[in-house]
Amino acid sequence: MNDLKNNIRKKINDLGFDFVSFTKPVIDKETKLKFKTFLDKNYHGDMKWLERHYEKKNEPRKLWDEVKTVVVIALNYSPKYNPILKNDKNDFANISVYAGNEDYHKVIYDKLNDFKVWFKKEYNLESKIFVDSAPLMEKYFAKMSNIGWQGKHTNIVSKKFGSWLFLSEIFLSIEIQADVKSSDNCGSCTNCLDICPTNALYDSYKIDARKCISYLTIEYKGPIPISLRKKIGNKVYGCDDCLAVCPWNKFTLPTKKYEFINKNEKYLNFFLEFDEIKFNKYFKKSPIKRIGWVSFMRNVILVCGNSRLPEFIYKLKKFLDNRNPIIRGITIWAINELMEGDIKEVFKKIKEIEKNKYVLFELNSLN
């Protein structure tokens, strides 16, 4: 059995992955209780699939009743420089490191599918592969298999790779000896909690996703709460602040995978020219495509409002008559943030013809 374990590990490493480990498909009672509390407090916001798949998430055998071993795989996507350095660029469209190039879901899935074919050919055994494609407690399994521990920012931290790891899993129908559990090495450090712009990390190892910038700019489809808009800064897709300040990052090396080397470092002016066709074409291979043009432009327009650069007003005006109320509403807010002096006359005509309740709310909220 050790030979089989070593052969599996070697094959996965040969496919370009950085860490492979093994654990049992069992979740402890404490983790189940914490997840239930998270849902009961509605900290998951609009991510209702977490409720719908509650039972499956707590019991891996409901995903595949033959599973006896979970293989947890990690891939380093560490950037060349600390993304915190991008936060102070007012005219910059700050995109999370993981979305800086190709969609990791497809890149990793293709590699794991190669493993699946090899495993079937070599051992005549089936396997199941997962890359964010099923309700799995993947951070729990990463902790239990010695990939890393779950840090105070609630993400996995590795001594070797810091906080920059893509996780994926393989279910096997044979039992392989589990690796040892990771130990927590956060110590007294609270860097991630201290830097969170919206206080989404309200306590060690606890997150209110409804305040998280990654949730707001990616998962959430509605108008971003006014109280949180300025705290988003220049982030148009995701947020890396809590990951970027982790001291363990000093031990990792930048990724050599060309699919994950950032190519999306653009300024706001570049994306302000996007219509839906340009958006879909430019982000064809990117995870950003899945949020759609409306959410992405909502974020870009919001960031323009945070820029303190009045020159954006001219380019924003074209969005005032957009057919989507989310776009119209955030544009009103952004232009108001950039204008000086009395703005009542500017929006008077819009208020007279606007019918949408949300857009009228934005107009009535102007200072």
Side-chain angles (χ1 to χ4, degrees), residues 88-93 234 266-269 303 307 309 312:
D88 295 330
K89 298 180 179 180
N90 288 8
D91 58 346
F92 188 73
N234 67 354
K266 304 292 183 181
Y267 289 86
L268 293 168
N269 276 322
V303 168
S307 71
L309 299 172
F312 282 124

Side-chain angles (χ1 to χ4, degrees), residues 255-271:
T255 181
K256 294 181 180 179
K257 307 292 188 297
Y258 71 91
E259 302 99 329
F260 304 138
I261 296 174
N262 201 328
K263 72 168 188 176
N264 284 334
E265 295 197 341
K266 304 292 183 181
Y267 289 86
L268 293 168
N269 276 322
F270 178 77
F271 292 123

Side-chain angles (χ1 to χ4, degrees), residues 27 35 49-50 52-60 62-63 130 132-138 141 171:
I27 298 171
F35 182 50
W49 63 86
L50 293 175
R52 293 195 300 271
H53 299 304
Y54 174 78
E55 295 297 333
K56 288 182 178 179
K57 202 169 178 69
N58 280 324
E59 180 46 76
K62 291 189 176 181
L63 293 173
F130 304 97
D132 283 353
S133 54
L136 270 174
M137 292 269 197
E138 65 174 9
F141 288 127
F171 279 12

Side-chain angles (χ1 to χ4, degrees), residues 56-207:
K56 288 182 178 179
K57 202 169 178 69
N58 280 324
E59 180 46 76
R61 289 186 178 87
K62 291 189 176 181
L63 293 173
W64 190 36
D65 59 5
E66 295 181 34
V67 61
K68 294 181 180 178
T69 299
V70 179
V71 186
V72 188
I73 302 146
L75 186 59
N76 171 37
Y77 71 98
S78 178
K80 289 185 177 180
Y81 63 88
N82 194 322
I84 288 290
L85 300 173
K86 298 185 291 187
N87 287 353
D88 295 330
K89 298 180 179 180
N90 288 8
D91 58 346
F92 188 73
N94 197 343
I95 291 174
S96 182
V97 172
Y98 89 86
N101 200 330
E102 294 188 28
D103 190 340
Y104 75 91
H105 298 89
K106 185 178 187 310
V107 174
I108 293 176
Y109 182 87
D110 289 346
K111 292 177 183 292
L112 294 188
N113 197 53
D114 288 343
F115 168 86
K116 184 176 182 178
V117 172
W118 169 85
F119 191 64
K120 175 68 173 177
K121 182 180 178 181
E122 290 291 320
Y123 299 101
N124 195 29
L125 291 169
E126 297 295 335
S127 59
K128 300 291 183 182
I129 57 179
F130 304 97
V131 190
D132 283 353
S133 54
L136 270 174
M137 292 269 197
E138 65 174 9
K139 288 186 282 189
Y140 170 80
F141 288 127
K143 177 183 69 175
M144 297 305 293
S145 66
N146 203 30
I147 294 287
W149 67 96
Q150 198 161 355
K152 292 179 182 178
H153 52 27
T154 75
N155 293 296
I156 290 297
V157 185
S158 160
K159 284 185 176 181
K160 186 175 181 180
F161 300 106
S163 292
W164 309 108
L165 285 175
F166 290 132
L167 298 176
S168 52
E169 298 77 34
I170 302 173
F171 279 12
L172 302 179
S173 59
I174 53 174
E175 188 169 344
I176 296 178
Q177 183 179 5
D179 291 310
V180 297
K181 175 183 174 182
S182 300
S183 57
D184 190 315
N185 290 280
C186 284
S188 60
C189 177
T190 58
N191 287 2
C192 55
L193 278 69
D194 298 337
I195 200 171
C196 182
T198 58
N199 198 35
L201 298 169
Y202 64 94
D203 201 355
S204 296
Y205 313 102
K206 295 179 181 179
I207 185 170

Side-chain angles (χ1 to χ4, degrees), residues 197-198 200 209 211-218 231-233 235 238-239:
T198 58
K211 294 182 179 180
C212 177
I213 293 174
S214 287
Y215 166 79
L216 292 168
T217 58
I218 299 174
K231 296 176 181 180
I232 288 175
K235 299 178 177 71
C239 178

Side-chain angles (χ1 to χ4, degrees), residues 278-297:
K278 287 183 179 179
F279 171 84
N280 289 325
K281 183 178 180 180
Y282 183 79
F283 290 122
K284 183 179 180 180
K285 294 184 177 181
S286 168
I288 295 174
K289 184 181 178 182
R290 80 174 181 87
I291 73 168
W293 180 84
V294 171
S295 290
F296 183 73
M297 291 310 300

Side-chain angles (χ1 to χ4, degrees), residues 352-367:
E352 289 174 353
I353 62 173
E354 182 61 58
K355 303 298 183 183
N356 183 270
K357 291 182 179 180
Y358 158 63
V359 181
L360 288 171
F361 167 79
E362 291 285 358
L363 286 164
N364 291 327
S365 298
L366 299 178
N367 295 324

